[in-house]
Amino acid sequence: MEERSVDVEEAAPFVYKPYPSADELDLVPAEWAQRYVEDAAKHWDTFYARNAQNAYKDRHYLGQEFDELAASTTRRTILELGCGVGNTVFPMLAANPNLSAYAVDFSPRAIEMVRAHACFDPARIRAAVCDITCGGLPVELGEVRADVATLVFVLGSISPRKMSAAIRTAASGLRPSGRLFFRDHAVEDFAQQRFDGSSEPKRLEANLYVRRDKTLSYYFSLERARELFVAEGFVVERLEFRHARVENRRRALQMDRRFVTGIFRWEPSAAHCPDCAAADGRAVRPSHEARTGMQT
């Protein structure tokens, strides 16, 4: 009898796949998380189209928080990264006649609104569209050497993987020893707790969430903020938690808000010596001071 060879396809080895953990079930599906990151500019443009000038209140309090932003007889230049429709830069220019500004945002609609603002003066402010996660400022601004830069509720709207590039963009527009003022949402903030208690997944990864309008919201620890800035050559001068209890009387709701506030000094040489940058700064401490009515 003639023997015949028969090809037998080997069965694929069995791989045990456990049920997803409770932590994994709370995550936004990976493909959607990627879309939220990739389409960030589009979502912010849509946000400003819907909210126009009513998205945020003007931040008149920054001059009280940061001395360098208070009215002064010294001429200074400020670089605002993520300027939105001007809720930070216009109050600062109004309070300080000796201040001039560069303002950038990656929403074209927001920059259009800045240029159309009643207080826009091209002799004092230059505004341009810029994706700060690309690591540099737009050529149309020319050579920028600002005395002060701000990242106020901006870094937390960026994917953590792109935050370092945004900080490098800030450094590229600062003179040596220039200062950067940082404020953003902190871990255990009331809003983060609401995200965690949502009936549908809102978390993309640790401390990163997506809002209803599809924009991102990251919640910082002091350690994470320090790590990011020191790695890019900034010296920590101040870094602390700020607390505020905000009351919504209409909804009979009290909200414990937590923010991270920091002042960092740009020292190019410190980029090559992170330990020096960390050690050179003043105390890095959590503040237990409750400030009622602190605004975002």
Side-chain angles (χ1 to χ4, degrees), residues 234-251:
F234 283 90
V235 173
V236 181
E237 292 197 344
R238 190 178 94 198
L239 184 58
E240 61 190 8
F241 285 132
R242 293 293 183 90
H243 305 260
R245 175 159 289 183
V246 180
E247 183 178 0
N248 185 323
R249 295 181 180 178
R250 183 173 61 85
R251 298 172 59 189

Side-chain angles (χ1 to χ4, degrees), residues 67-166:
D67 291 342
E68 281 83 350
L69 300 182
S72 171
T73 56
T74 303
R75 291 192 174 278
R76 291 196 181 110
T77 302
I78 185 171
L79 167 63
E80 187 184 6
L81 300 116
C83 64
V85 297
N87 298 101
T88 296
V89 70
F90 286 121
M92 287 192 296
L93 290 173
N96 192 342
N98 291 307
L99 192 67
S100 59
Y102 295 95
V104 298
D105 198 283
F106 73 165
S107 166
R109 195 178 301 271
I111 294 300
E112 288 174 8
M113 292 180 182
V114 168
R115 291 171 176 165
H117 196 284
C119 296
F120 181 77
D121 179 356
R124 295 187 66 196
I125 179 171
R126 298 182 68 179
V129 176
C130 173
D131 180 356
I132 64 173
T133 66
C134 289
L137 293 167
V139 176
E140 63 187 277
L141 292 181
E143 185 177 2
V144 180
R145 285 293 178 266
D147 301 293
V148 178
T150 64
L151 279 168
V152 178
F153 298 108
V154 171
L155 206 59
S157 65
I158 296 171
S159 166
R161 286 175 288 281
K162 296 183 177 183
M163 289 179 181
S164 294

Side-chain angles (χ1 to χ4, degrees), residues 105-267:
D105 198 283
F106 73 165
S107 166
R109 195 178 301 271
I111 294 300
E112 288 174 8
M113 292 180 182
V114 168
R115 291 171 176 165
H117 196 284
C119 296
F120 181 77
D121 179 356
R124 295 187 66 196
I125 179 171
R126 298 182 68 179
V129 176
C130 173
D131 180 356
I132 64 173
T133 66
C134 289
L137 293 167
V139 176
E140 63 187 277
L141 292 181
E143 185 177 2
V144 180
R145 285 293 178 266
D147 301 293
V148 178
T150 64
L151 279 168
V152 178
F153 298 108
V154 171
L155 206 59
S157 65
I158 296 171
S159 166
R161 286 175 288 281
K162 296 183 177 183
M163 289 179 181
S164 294
I167 295 171
R168 285 195 293 275
T169 297
S172 74
L174 274 173
R175 62 169 176 77
S177 298
R179 284 175 170 78
L180 184 146
F181 299 96
F182 168 72
R183 169 167 286 173
D184 225 305
H185 300 290
V187 290
E188 299 180 12
D189 179 54
F190 175 82
Q192 184 180 27
Q193 295 173 5
R194 291 194 67 178
F195 278 133
D196 287 333
S198 174
S199 58
E200 60 183 55
K202 294 291 185 181
R203 186 163 58 90
L204 279 64
E205 57 184 84
N207 296 323
L208 179 67
Y209 301 80
V210 61
R211 299 186 181 98
R212 184 181 301 176
D213 57 17
K214 300 180 183 179
T215 60
L216 303 181
S217 183
Y218 184 84
Y219 295 82
F220 289 88
S221 65
L222 294 182
E223 293 76 13
R224 180 58 178 154
R226 185 189 68 82
E227 178 184 71
L228 283 165
F229 284 95
V230 167
E232 301 303 329
F234 283 90
V235 173
V236 181
E237 292 197 344
R238 190 178 94 198
L239 184 58
E240 61 190 8
F241 285 132
R242 293 293 183 90
H243 305 260
R245 175 159 289 183
V246 180
E247 183 178 0
N248 185 323
R249 295 181 180 178
R250 183 173 61 85
R251 298 172 59 189
L253 181 67
Q254 287 193 336
M255 299 169 283
D256 289 322
R257 306 308 309 269
R258 285 168 57 89
F259 308 103
V260 172
T261 295
I263 300 178
F264 303 93
R265 188 176 72 252
W266 166 236
E267 298 292 352

Side-chain angles (χ1 to χ4, degrees), residues 4-33:
R4 293 181 298 173
S5 62
V6 180
D7 293 332
V8 179
E9 184 177 341
E10 293 185 8
F14 174 77
V15 178
Y16 172 69
K17 294 183 178 180
Y19 289 107
S21 66
D23 197 51
E24 291 173 323
L25 287 173
D26 287 340
L27 289 175
V28 171
E31 60 271 21
W32 279 103

Side-chain angles (χ1 to χ4, degrees), residues 43-56 85 87 109 113 213 215:
H43 296 319
W44 277 107
D45 221 38
T46 301
F47 172 85
Y48 287 117
R50 291 174 176 170
N51 296 281
Q53 302 285 350
N54 301 317
Y56 302 106
V85 297
N87 298 101
R109 195 178 301 271
M113 292 180 182
D213 57 17
T215 60

